[in-house]
Amino acid sequence: MMNVFRAAGLAVASVMGLVLAGCSDPQSAADTGAYQSGSPEAAAAELLKTMTLEQKVGQMIQGEISEVTAEDVRRYGLGSVLNGGGSFPDGNKHASIDDWLRVADDYYRASIDTSGGNAGIPIIWGTDAVHGHNNVIGATIFPHNIGLGAARDPELVASISAATAREVKATGIDWIFAPTVAVARDFRWGRTYESYSSDEALVASYAGGMVEAMQAEGVVATAKHFVGDGGTHTGDDRGDTRLPLETLLSVHGAGYGPAIDAGVMTVMASFNRWNGDKVHGNKHLLTEVLRGQLGFEGFVVSDWNGIGEVEGCTDASCPQAINAGIDMVMVPEDWRAAINNLIFQVQSGAIPMARIDEAVHRILTAKIAAGLMDRGLPSKVASAYRDQVGSAPHRALARDAVRRSLVLLKNEQQLLPLDPGGNYLVTGPGADNIGMQSGGWTISWQGTGNSNADFPVGTSIFSGLQQQIEAAGGRVYLAGSVPEDVSIDAVIAVYGERPYAEMQGDISTLAWQQPDFVDLEMLTQYQEQGLPVVSILLSGRPLWVNREMNASQAFVAAWLPGSEGGGIADVLLRAPDGEVQYEFLGRLPMPWPANDINPDDRELPVSTAAFPIGYGLDSSSQVTVAALHEETLGQPISTDRPVFAGGPRGPWQLYLGNELDWAVASGPRGGSTLDDQLTVSVIDYQVQEDARRIRWSGDEGRPSQVYFRSDTAINLTDMAHNGGVLLMELRLGEIPEGEVTLRMDCTWPCSGAIDVTEPLNGLEVNEWHRLAVSLDCFKAAGTNLGRVDVPFLVSTSGRFSMDLAEVTISEVADDALVMRCPRSDTAGALAGGM
């Protein structure tokens, strides 16, 4: 039952003050004796009686802050806004706390302004603060849920929930889309790290305490995603969970009972299907099960454009979802159309008026119970919390969480913890990379486009080690900086997954780095030199890393620890007196896979474990890990190397530039050259933010280029020998005015360039096209395919625009139009007569 609603204890007079501002005739409403019971439910019922259909529908709509102005809130009476991952006040990634509060105050003032017919009901602002207030630069970034599951400490997790709520309150935001109570069962799922454990009992043990702690701070919590998100077939993010209802609820619904008992005010519907039916449109689950069987009394919010995935629906229109039990609709961009459609659907009878009243009553009850009706300006409430953002106590809490989350899988000859007085080489792409150690949902949605400068209160793993080692008289070096006369005592290699979030994080196999094995080559290089190797794996899931583990004397699963890299040094290093500083306490929250795929059916999750759930060594453990088998059970589904699909994949990063600066990193919302000659922005194609819009203005006549680059070159020789191509999916917005060059680099100035002006001119504008260029074309143009670090670069100086949805180095061209290699006297053309 919704205990928080009943225990809210709001004074009747305080509720009336702002509620009456929404009445067209305050005096007559006051005369009715409304709110005398003092309960949020009764107050909501009385307020509902005063509202028009338009005002009610407004309360059911949630738009995204980049698409909603304060004037929009005033005019349409919107009930809610959210900031999506990578969305900031005025689009400014470096927005200050004052910037966040200014926008919150503007929305609030507009929401209570009744001058234009608005009901005067305070707006509620939601955010994905899923491991700290991760949208705000300077906030404390806690370990992702999978690491907290390894800590096996409900009190610690509740404390983190409360700390996050305080930092969220400091920016004037009222509502957090957390906790996620998913039970991940197939680790190929790109949101595995949002799950505390594959053990439903462990997830359930966290849920209630997190909700209580968050809502005790005056911030509305959300249990998500109801239901089955962690159980989809093949780990497909929006796929099908194929289970009987009893199993669905006992496993994937285990966290909802404790969350509901703790008074969680909102539940978010899940993107997945259940036995073929989209949950967003499933009345049996959202009404009969969630409310009837589980007793949830709060309101249900849809996920980002989730209603549009229901069969027969669009992002802005889905009466089936409303009738199924969705109370508030998250329609980030199409909220105006959604308002009009909802009103029409009620007037036409497609949605009963009683269903609207039910939904709005739940929303109003939550707002009243949360204290929003008499809170006043968000900035005034936030003034008491400003010093909480990135505060020393919160960082200390995060650092403690990091220590407790580390799982020691291997420790031959008890190498760990290390003597801080020694000489150590710290290497690997994650060594000095706070963004990589923080993972997805960090400042940007996918966690990409960030540098250490974006974490002003954070500490990288290298910095954390450096502080303690040098304080103890030892020395620490980054790769390439070791003097010839220095003898290294051990190598600490930090590597693993680059940041990703939903959809873009889905994988087809748990095998790490097929077919390039860059990290393995790094480890074997030092192993062959006779140096002890300590592996620190940064990952959002258990991975098949048998080769890497065999090449390491010690192996630590560090998950995605967040901004406090010093916590890793605390456990990795002894105290100067030789004593253990902090013991390895983490235990596996999910079994560690023995194989890369399921040997019987690769569509099923890996079912055999190299290390079982609950496994974890401490520094005194005298356990020898036998050499693990190094053969994959299944070859990759294909040898394709995705470069861009929804976002940059694998090691590839997106850049743009010209002679003013040739390497401007494209951030989570895009970027531009210093002269704005070339801009990149994020657009939706098939799903959320899965394509890029690239525009050359032609104003300066300066050659400008967009490209994907990796710090590590790859070998495409075999791919070319087998007929491989560079595959692209693109849509022209404008025909190029000047020459356009497509290039593949092999560590500049090694390069091969092809003139693609003519084939581009032959394409239909505003239509999507799949094009392919043989790798042999680039080889003939000068590319050394044995060391490609830029597989795709487009350059022009004239006006031109295109949308890009995919770049893949593929073994086959499929249905793409294949470009002929250019002859010496002419530009390229497309096969098939173009």
Side-chain angles (χ1 to χ4, degrees):
M1 299 296 289
M2 294 288 300
N3 300 326
V4 169
F5 283 8
R6 291 177 170 77
L10 298 179
V12 171
S14 67
V15 175
M16 290 178 64
L18 281 175
V19 169
L20 291 180
C23 302
S24 58
D25 183 358
Q27 184 61 44
S28 63
D31 288 344
T32 65
Y35 323 117
Q36 294 306 306
S37 70
S39 74
E41 292 92 339
E46 292 303 324
L47 176 54
L48 186 66
K49 294 176 184 178
T50 71
M51 297 173 66
T52 66
L53 172 60
E54 289 76 13
Q55 291 170 343
K56 293 173 184 178
V57 167
Q59 287 298 301
M60 297 174 65
I61 300 297
Q62 183 181 64
E64 214 282 330
I65 64 170
S66 63
E67 305 289 336
V68 177
T69 66
E71 179 55 34
D72 291 331
V73 173
R74 179 181 294 107
R75 178 178 177 185
Y76 295 96
L78 298 187
S80 181
V81 291
L82 83 150
N83 62 286
S87 181
F88 318 98
D90 305 317
N92 177 18
K93 175 180 176 179
H94 297 278
S96 66
I97 293 177
D98 286 335
D99 293 328
W100 287 90
L101 290 173
R102 170 180 49 80
V103 176
D105 281 352
D106 287 347
Y107 283 144
Y108 174 79
R109 290 191 184 97
S111 69
I112 63 171
D113 184 347
T114 61
S115 62
N118 182 0
I121 299 168
I123 197 166
I124 185 170
W125 182 341
T127 189
D128 283 288
V130 294
H131 64 137
H133 199 6
N134 43 260
N135 294 279
V136 176
I137 287 181
T140 309
I141 306 299
F142 294 94
H144 265 299
N145 292 354
I146 192 171
L148 299 181
R152 295 173 176 266
D153 189 335
E155 291 185 4
L156 171 70
V157 174
S159 297
I160 289 171
S161 182
T164 300
R166 290 191 290 270
E167 296 204 19
V168 166
K169 286 190 76 170
T171 55
I173 297 175
D174 324 288
W175 179 13
I176 297 176
F177 302 140
T180 298
V181 292
V183 178
R185 288 297 178 90
D186 191 325
F187 310 146
R188 292 173 292 186
W189 184 38
R191 303 186 80 158
T192 295
Y193 63 79
E194 295 188 50
S195 172
Y196 295 102
S197 177
S198 59
D199 177 5
E200 63 270 22
L202 179 56
V203 173
S205 73
Y206 281 5
M210 289 194 70
V211 168
E212 288 177 352
M214 187 181 298
Q215 294 190 164
E217 297 291 342
V219 175
V220 174
T222 307
K224 68 178 189 182
H225 305 85
F226 190 81
V227 62
D229 48 350
T232 58
H233 185 64
T234 71
D236 179 6
D237 180 61
R238 301 188 180 188
D240 194 17
T241 301
R242 303 170 182 177
L243 294 171
L245 180 61
E246 182 180 357
T247 307
L248 179 75
L249 295 182
S250 65
V251 175
H252 300 285
Y256 290 93
I260 291 168
D261 289 342
V264 69
M265 293 187 180
T266 69
V267 163
M268 183 178 288
S270 184
F271 278 123
N272 64 276
R273 297 177 182 273
W274 174 52
N275 294 331
D277 295 326
K278 276 287 184 179
V279 172
H280 271 75
N282 192 306
K283 185 174 182 178
H284 181 60
L285 288 179
L286 296 180
T287 297
E288 296 169 14
V289 172
L290 179 59
R291 298 194 181 280
Q293 187 171 337
L294 300 182
F296 177 60
E297 295 180 0
F299 72 86
V300 176
V301 63
S302 66
D303 208 336
W304 184 287
N305 285 333
I307 64 170
E309 298 191 10
V310 177
E311 185 176 355
C313 294
T314 68
D315 292 344
S317 177
C318 191
Q320 180 181 336
I322 305 301
N323 290 332
I326 298 292
D327 300 308
M328 181 179 284
V329 186
M330 188 188 293
V331 273
E333 295 129 349
D334 295 339
W335 55 267
R336 289 182 184 84
I339 289 176
N340 293 332
N341 290 330
L342 264 175
I343 292 171
F344 173 78
Q345 287 155 3
V346 174
Q347 292 172 338
S348 68
I351 300 175
M353 189 67 206
R355 177 68 194 100
I356 299 295
D357 287 344
E358 181 181 57
V360 177
H361 181 261
R362 291 168 179 162
I363 294 167
L364 297 178
T365 300
K367 288 186 175 184
I368 294 168
L372 298 186
M373 305 300 285
D374 62 347
R375 176 196 61 187
L377 280 174
S379 61
K380 290 184 177 179
V381 177
S383 62
Y385 295 88
R386 288 184 67 100
D387 63 350
Q388 298 290 306
V389 179
S391 67
H394 289 179
R395 292 186 64 197
L397 177 64
R399 186 165 177 165
D400 186 45
V402 174
R403 297 182 196 119
R404 294 172 181 272
S405 70
L406 303 179
V407 180
L408 181 60
L409 296 178
K410 180 180 180 180
N411 194 24
E412 300 302 319
Q413 300 174 1
Q414 295 178 292
L415 176 62
L416 297 178
L418 300 167
D419 174 9
N423 295 325
Y424 300 102
L425 171 65
V426 183
T427 187
D432 195 24
N433 190 330
I434 304 176
M436 185 170 166
Q437 71 193 41
S438 297
W441 289 108
T442 304
I443 305 177
S444 66
W445 175 38
Q446 296 287 327
T448 57
N450 301 317
S451 68
N452 284 359
D454 295 319
F455 301 89
V457 298
T459 303
S460 73
I461 294 170
F462 171 76
S463 294
L465 290 166
Q466 183 180 44
Q467 291 169 12
Q468 295 192 39
I469 290 172
E470 293 187 353
R475 295 297 301 273
V476 59
Y477 304 90
L478 281 171
S481 64
V482 183
E484 291 184 3
D485 59 345
V486 172
S487 176
I488 293 297
D489 295 306
V491 174
I492 303 171
V494 188
Y495 57 93
E497 295 185 302
R498 300 281 182 170
Y500 57 81
E502 57 192 281
M503 294 182 292
Q504 296 181 26
D506 291 355
I507 55 177
S508 61
T509 169
L510 297 180
W512 180 237
Q513 287 190 334
Q514 291 190 81
D516 296 313
F517 307 115
V518 174
D519 294 333
L520 178 62
E521 291 173 2
M522 170 183 66
L523 301 180
T524 54
Q525 167 192 347
Y526 298 113
Q527 186 184 44
E528 290 169 356
Q529 295 174 27
L531 295 174
V533 175
V534 179
S535 277
I536 308 296
L537 180 69
L538 301 175
S539 72
R541 55 191 141 209
L543 290 166
W544 189 76
V545 287
N546 286 10
R547 298 180 178 98
E548 290 78 10
M549 198 171 293
N550 288 341
S552 307
Q553 190 168 334
F555 196 99
V556 178
W559 315 111
L560 299 171
S563 62
E564 303 311 307
I568 291 178
D570 292 340
V571 184
L572 231 62
L573 302 171
R574 294 184 179 275
D577 62 3
E579 295 297 314
V580 173
Q581 287 193 91
Y582 295 93
E583 190 54 83
F584 284 94
L585 299 176
R587 299 296 180 260
L588 286 178
M590 303 171 184
W592 200 269
N595 299 308
D596 52 317
I597 62 168
N598 187 300
D600 299 319
D601 185 348
R602 72 179 301 151
E603 292 193 355
L604 297 177
V606 173
S607 57
T608 53
F611 305 101
I613 189 169
Y615 174 89
L617 306 175
D618 59 36
S619 61
S620 64
S621 300
Q622 297 185 13
V623 175
T624 298
V625 176
L628 302 172
H629 77 87
E630 298 191 356
E631 294 301 318
T632 56
L633 295 185
Q635 295 301 313
I637 293 175
S638 76
T639 58
D640 289 359
R641 288 178 165 88
V643 176
F644 178 82
R649 307 304 292 264
W652 308 107
Q653 299 296 314
L654 179 60
Y655 295 88
L656 58 164
N658 55 30
E659 62 185 13
L660 302 180
D661 186 343
W662 289 109
V664 178
S666 178
R669 309 304 298 177
S672 63
T673 54
L674 297 182
D675 57 0
D676 293 326
Q677 168 79 5
L678 172 60
T679 61
V680 173
S681 57
V682 178
I683 63 170
D684 296 348
Y685 172 31
Q686 294 180 327
V687 294
Q688 179 185 349
E689 298 184 1
D690 62 339
R692 299 294 181 268
R693 178 154 291 162
I694 307 167
R695 294 181 181 273
W696 287 262
S697 69
D699 295 340
E700 302 295 328
R702 181 180 285 123
S704 300
Q705 58 193 35
V706 60
Y707 59 98
F708 295 94
R709 182 175 67 81
S710 169
D711 292 334
T712 304
I714 62 172
N715 189 334
L716 298 180
T717 304
D718 288 344
M719 182 81 80
H721 180 73
N722 293 325
V725 298
L726 177 67
L727 187 66
M728 302 159 282
E729 185 171 9
L730 54 84
R731 175 176 63 185
L732 300 191
E734 296 176 276
I735 292 293
E737 291 185 352
E739 180 180 296
V740 181
T741 298
L742 177 64
R743 209 172 79 200
M744 182 175 286
D745 290 356
C746 35
T747 310
W748 181 259
C750 174
S751 178
I754 299 171
D755 184 347
V756 293
T757 314
E758 181 180 330
L760 290 178
N761 282 329
L763 298 177
E764 290 289 334
V765 176
N766 295 323
E767 296 288 339
W768 284 99
H769 304 276
R770 290 177 64 81
L771 309 179
V773 182
S774 170
L775 296 179
D776 285 336
C777 293
F778 294 106
K779 179 179 179 181
T783 304
N784 180 345
L785 295 177
R787 51 186 179 95
V788 172
D789 65 339
V790 175
F792 173 92
L793 182 151
V794 176
S795 175
T796 188
S797 58
R799 187 177 181 87
F800 175 43
S801 70
M802 70 176 185
D803 298 336
L804 187 66
E806 179 188 356
V807 177
T808 301
I809 304 165
S810 179
E811 54 189 356
V812 292
D814 290 329
D815 56 350
L817 295 171
V818 181
M819 182 185 299
R820 300 190 186 98
C821 294
R823 299 186 297 274
S824 59
D825 59 343
T826 184
L830 295 175
M834 295 189 66

